Amino acid sequence: ELFDGLMEASGGGARLRYESAAGACTPFVAALRRLADAGERPTRLRGCLSGTLGAVSTWVQAGEPLDRAVERAQSEGLTEPDPVEDLSGADVARKALILGRTAGWRIDEVDLSPFEGVGETAVPRYVATVEDGAASVALEDVGESDPLRGLSGTDNGLEVATRDAYRDSPLFIRGVGAGASATAAGVVADVVDLLNRRA
């Protein structure tokens, strides 16, 4: 109800910007809005939405123990003030809700599996999936043909399948997903976009 109210009060989202809430400075929200403007209805969203957990996964995959990788991410300013917020998956679940609602689904809950067992998978990725109005977040061991396999460090990636143009070959968007400068760049871009629309 709050999301619907914000969208309605802002002219269908025309005066509402929240890119940094879902992808730092990577334009996931902008891409979904552009697809909607073109009449493209998403059928599935799938992606890695935490630069923090992406970095931790990369380091663990390279042989670093999980606790040391988390400490490293915290010392580099990549985690939430309490890293448990990242490891619980709550941050990724929020982003899945934001993107799912932006894509037009009325989602209230996310089936959430915490970030566990990362050292037990060969190519670990913490993946959010939104499809048919349902959202889930879980650790996956991605295969060779999976576009999420190519992500490293703080990269985020979102694969968008639609009913028509991107049905057989989904759109894939990739970019930096963590860090103060990346998030600040996303906020600045949103502010500039709103100012340009008023001009």
Side-chain angles (χ1 to χ4, degrees), residues 55-67 69 115 118-121 124:
V56 169
S57 294
T58 297
W59 298 330
V60 169
Q61 188 179 345
E64 200 163 332
L66 176 60
D67 58 346
F115 185 74
V118 66
E120 300 167 10
T121 55

Side-chain angles (χ1 to χ4, degrees), residues 22-164:
C25 62
T26 305
F28 296 151
V29 172
L32 292 174
R33 286 182 163 178
R34 192 169 172 82
L35 288 170
D37 289 344
E40 283 290 330
R41 170 80 172 162
T43 56
R44 187 186 67 173
L45 308 178
R46 182 172 176 273
C48 293
L49 307 177
S50 171
T52 303
L53 296 182
V56 169
S57 294
T58 297
W59 298 330
V60 169
Q61 188 179 345
E64 200 163 332
L66 176 60
D67 58 346
R68 196 170 301 161
V70 172
E71 288 175 3
R72 179 177 171 186
Q74 189 172 24
S75 69
E76 292 185 15
L78 300 177
T79 68
E80 296 293 326
D82 181 356
V84 171
E85 185 78 4
D86 297 294
L87 297 171
S88 72
D91 179 58
V92 175
R94 279 193 296 269
K95 293 172 181 177
L97 280 176
I98 290 167
L99 295 174
R101 289 172 179 167
T102 300
W105 286 296
R106 295 183 62 83
I107 304 169
D108 292 320
E109 296 181 3
V110 177
D111 183 9
L112 175 63
S113 297
F115 185 74
E116 295 175 348
V118 66
E120 300 167 10
T121 55
V123 186
R125 297 292 181 267
Y126 197 54
V127 181
T129 305
V130 184
E131 189 171 13
D132 296 328
S136 63
V137 177
L139 188 67
E140 295 183 17
D141 191 353
V142 297
E144 288 187 13
S145 62
D146 195 317
L148 299 179
R149 187 182 182 108
L151 300 177
S152 63
T154 62
D155 285 354
N156 277 355
L158 180 67
E159 184 181 58
V160 183
T162 67
R163 287 187 182 153
D164 297 310

